[in-house]
Amino acid sequence: MEDIEDLLVAGGGGAIPGFRVPVAAAVGVNHKHIKKNRISGSISNATSCNSSKIPGTQTIYLKTFGCSHNQVRKNKFVEILPINVGCLGACTYCKTKHARGHLGSYTVDSLVGRVRTVIADGVRELWLSSEDTGAYGRDIGVSLPILLNSLVSELPPDGSTMLRIGMTNPPYILEHLKEIAEVLRHPCVYSFLHVPVQSGSDSILSAMNREYTVSEFRTVVDTLIELVPGMQIATDVICGFPGETDEDFEQTINLIKEYKFPQVHISQFYPRPGTPAARMKKVPSNIVKKRSRELTTIFESFTPYVIMEGKIEQIWITDVATDGIHLVGHTKGYIQVLVIGPGSMLGSSAMVKITSVGRWSVFGDVIEILTEQAHSRENLSNRNSKCSNDSDTCCSKDSETCACGLASSCGQKQEGTISVSMNDQKPRSQNLIGWLLRKRKNNSQKEMENEVVSKFEEKLRTSEWAFVDSALLGVMLTSLLTAIAICLYLGFSGFSSK
Ligand code: SF4
């Protein structure tokens, strides 16, 4: 037993030694059940007490920490699918390797099976996660492009479900760059990749044992940007790794400035106990902090989304923003778009007009919901048939499973092929809903403002009257004392004259 995933295997028969199988679809989180048990108190206690005696019926409470790789679904529409655990690296700062160990890839068939299941379950976005996506399959004799092509062929032809490829280090993806670029161009795959560079200095990369050079990192980025329209790349940087000089750090700054990555995860080096880097001579912490602040300031000065303002984009909506008002969608390049609309828009794809842009995301107005209709299904199936018969224009090598009927040639999206229009009324009704929601929000904001103003005015009035009352009381007291003084004076004068 190497991992918790090995506890449950598809078919109940167990995996072939050395092979991993993802957790079966029947295993899931039942939040309702947890809530119900909390509410129903003693009855549920009795039930759980009885069921605890029946093997296989017990409830296990799991709490997950860390990145998405540690999580089994993000929400109803987003499935996080680990494709392997562990890696082939030996980075000198890394503690993850101690926990995850050597590369262990899940089989292509098991992952395809899982994808089929979750799509049937209503999932609209699949995140492939891994310590190093590029290394996938090297332990079981397959490769990342083989897996990706198999998964893409399972995506529904209506363009409703998107695939997001997880983080990859440069070394193992280098030899598959063209195939990966082809997959990233597919209309149902986000043109987005997370490729951590960690440092812009070769000597620091060598001290980190990252197994690539800055030049190789550049090759990955340049090739993908050149071959994939709208490609977005995120990266990571560690500031203040042991031995990092001012010159080394300067090279990192220059690299980040040159590419102006839209997302850079900046961290300060922290020695993890038991790692080789923990025994290396540290850079003073004030310098580490200074470098991290400097890089953050540079990165935050970028304005990567300014050119999007006014553009029309297709997005896939899968979540609710933390403000509870906006819905979260992503463009093909995985740029976050915040829109206002009813919860029923979750899980759908829409055309939006970008109305304003921020540093981390953009705002848009929904102008059309893209849904699959009967006539479009027929059209798509016709297109699939054509695809199967015409090997020159088909983007899939396997005509039996070609599911890319949305594109006429090699994954390039054609205008009007992926978008399935609704009737004319629905966009207007969706706009109306958006307008009503905005109006509701504005009205409630105004109500709150009015409440605050009236409370302030009341307080002001109260304080004004308090002042007048005090002044009147003072005048009355002064008058009384004056009258008493006059009476006493007159009385005393009269007494003296007698
Ligand atoms: S940082 Fe290096 S050693 Fe650690 S998990 Fe990633 S590739 Fe593996």
Side-chain angles (χ1 to χ4, degrees):
M1 188 83 61
E2 289 177 16
D3 216 328
I4 193 163
E5 286 100 334
D6 299 328
L7 281 167
L8 295 154
V9 291
I16 303 162
F19 285 71
R20 287 167 186 267
V21 180
V23 175
V27 179
V29 181
N30 190 342
H31 297 284
K32 262 191 199 164
H33 185 68
I34 293 165
K35 222 174 185 177
K36 205 170 131 194
N37 277 352
R38 274 198 202 122
I39 295 163
S40 54
S42 58
I43 296 167
S44 68
N45 284 344
T47 312
S48 63
C49 186
N50 285 335
S51 64
S52 70
K53 292 173 185 164
I54 305 167
T57 59
Q58 295 88 345
T59 303
I60 303 168
Y61 176 76
L62 288 177
K63 191 170 172 68
T64 54
F65 298 89
C67 65
S68 62
H69 188 58
N70 297 336
Q71 290 178 26
V72 194
R73 186 170 297 176
K74 185 170 184 284
N75 64 35
K76 191 180 166 190
F77 301 105
V78 181
E79 171 79 1
I80 299 168
L81 187 65
I83 59 171
N84 61 265
V85 291
C87 69
L88 295 174
C91 305
T92 52
Y93 56 82
C94 179
K95 194 72 181 172
T96 307
K97 178 86 183 188
H98 296 200
R100 297 279 188 185
H102 196 68
L103 180 70
S105 304
Y106 297 113
T107 62
V108 173
D109 284 349
S110 64
L111 291 166
V112 165
R114 179 70 181 153
V115 165
R116 275 186 200 147
T117 306
V118 299
I119 288 175
D121 210 19
V123 159
R124 291 288 172 262
E125 200 165 285
L126 292 150
W127 293 6
L128 304 187
S129 77
S130 160
E131 269 73 52
D132 185 359
T133 303
Y136 170 81
R138 287 180 172 253
D139 54 331
I140 56 171
V142 289
S143 67
L144 184 63
I146 290 174
L147 173 70
L148 293 179
N149 283 315
S150 301
L151 297 185
V152 163
S153 69
E154 294 297 326
L155 301 176
D158 63 357
S160 60
T161 309
M162 295 295 284
L163 184 73
R164 195 185 84 161
I165 303 174
M167 187 269 284
T168 179
N169 288 315
Y172 299 106
I173 204 176
L174 264 169
E175 64 189 78
H176 301 303
L177 276 181
K178 287 201 174 138
E179 295 111 300
I180 299 296
E182 194 178 329
V183 173
L184 287 165
R185 283 201 305 264
H186 190 281
C188 297
V189 179
Y190 286 120
S191 317
F192 168 83
L193 207 57
H194 178 188
V195 191
V197 64
Q198 306 298 16
S199 173
S201 155
D202 279 341
S203 62
I204 295 302
L205 288 179
S206 173
M208 289 175 171
N209 197 27
R210 291 287 289 169
E211 300 181 61
Y212 58 85
T213 61
V214 177
S215 162
E216 286 169 328
F217 171 79
R218 283 174 180 277
T219 303
V220 172
V221 175
D222 293 343
T223 309
L224 294 180
I225 288 174
E226 185 196 337
L227 298 180
V228 184
M231 184 70 202
Q232 297 282 310
I233 290 176
T235 195
D236 299 351
V237 169
I238 297 174
C239 294
F241 188 81
E244 185 185 69
T245 62
D246 285 345
E247 289 73 31
D248 292 322
F249 185 63
E250 193 64 30
Q251 290 177 46
T252 302
I253 284 188
N254 291 340
L255 185 79
I256 299 300
K257 273 184 179 170
E258 181 184 334
Y259 283 95
K260 289 192 170 55
F261 296 102
Q263 288 180 42
V264 182
H265 309 116
I266 301 165
S267 57
Q268 298 173 15
F269 172 76
Y270 174 79
R272 305 279 166 183
T275 60
R279 297 191 294 274
M280 297 177 187
K281 192 167 182 281
K282 279 176 43 175
V283 174
S285 57
N286 59 325
I287 295 178
V288 177
K289 280 182 192 156
K290 186 174 152 286
R291 287 178 184 168
S292 160
R293 273 198 298 266
E294 187 181 345
L295 190 59
T296 304
T297 306
I298 289 166
F299 163 61
E300 287 182 353
S301 71
F302 302 158
T303 51
Y305 307 134
V306 164
I307 52 162
M308 289 183 72
E309 191 155 354
K311 284 191 175 169
I312 309 283
E313 294 274 349
Q314 181 177 2
I315 62 166
W316 287 263
I317 303 167
T318 54
D319 212 345
V320 179
T322 47
D323 64 6
I325 295 166
H326 292 90
L327 301 179
V328 181
H330 290 94
T331 64
K332 172 84 165 66
Y334 208 69
I335 295 165
Q336 183 174 271
V337 182
L338 300 175
V339 296
I340 286 182
S344 57
M345 274 168 57
L346 282 166
S348 62
S349 173
M351 297 305 291
V352 293
K353 180 168 185 180
I354 306 302
T355 51
S356 62
V357 299
R359 174 61 188 84
W360 311 107
S361 54
V362 303
F363 292 84
D365 276 349
V366 175
I367 54 177
E368 185 183 7
I369 306 285
L370 308 175
T371 52
E372 187 187 1
Q373 291 181 345
H375 72 272
S376 61
R377 239 183 264 129
E378 198 179 303
N379 288 344
L380 288 165
S381 106
N382 287 342
R383 252 181 252 133
N384 281 345
S385 309
K386 183 172 183 282
C387 191
S388 308
N389 295 331
D390 184 355
S391 59
D392 287 339
T393 56
C394 180
C395 69
S396 169
K397 291 175 181 69
D398 182 356
S399 59
E400 291 290 305
T401 55
C402 181
C404 67
L406 306 168
S408 63
S409 63
C410 296
Q412 291 285 11
K413 182 187 161 187
Q414 301 291 308
E415 280 302 319
T417 53
I418 196 169
S419 305
V420 182
S421 297
M422 303 162 47
N423 60 47
D424 286 339
Q425 294 304 316
K426 201 144 182 195
R428 266 187 235 141
S429 71
Q430 293 296 348
N431 283 340
L432 181 66
I433 290 165
W435 177 78
L436 284 171
L437 281 168
R438 277 195 298 277
K439 194 172 167 59
R440 189 178 66 190
K441 190 187 158 203
N442 289 341
N443 283 346
S444 56
Q445 269 177 348
K446 271 184 194 158
E447 275 169 22
M448 277 171 65
E449 281 166 17
N450 288 342
E451 200 179 325
V452 171
V453 168
S454 49
K455 273 185 185 165
F456 178 73
E457 284 175 352
E458 195 181 326
K459 205 174 172 187
L460 203 65
R461 268 200 303 277
T462 313
S463 62
E464 274 172 7
W465 278 112
F467 173 75
V468 172
D469 287 351
S470 307
L472 278 172
L473 194 65
V475 169
M476 282 169 69
L477 273 173
T478 311
S479 306
L480 187 66
L481 287 172
T482 310
I484 292 169
I486 291 169
C487 288
L488 284 173
Y489 173 75
L490 289 174
F492 182 74
S493 304
F495 182 74
S496 305
S497 62
K498 278 180 188 174

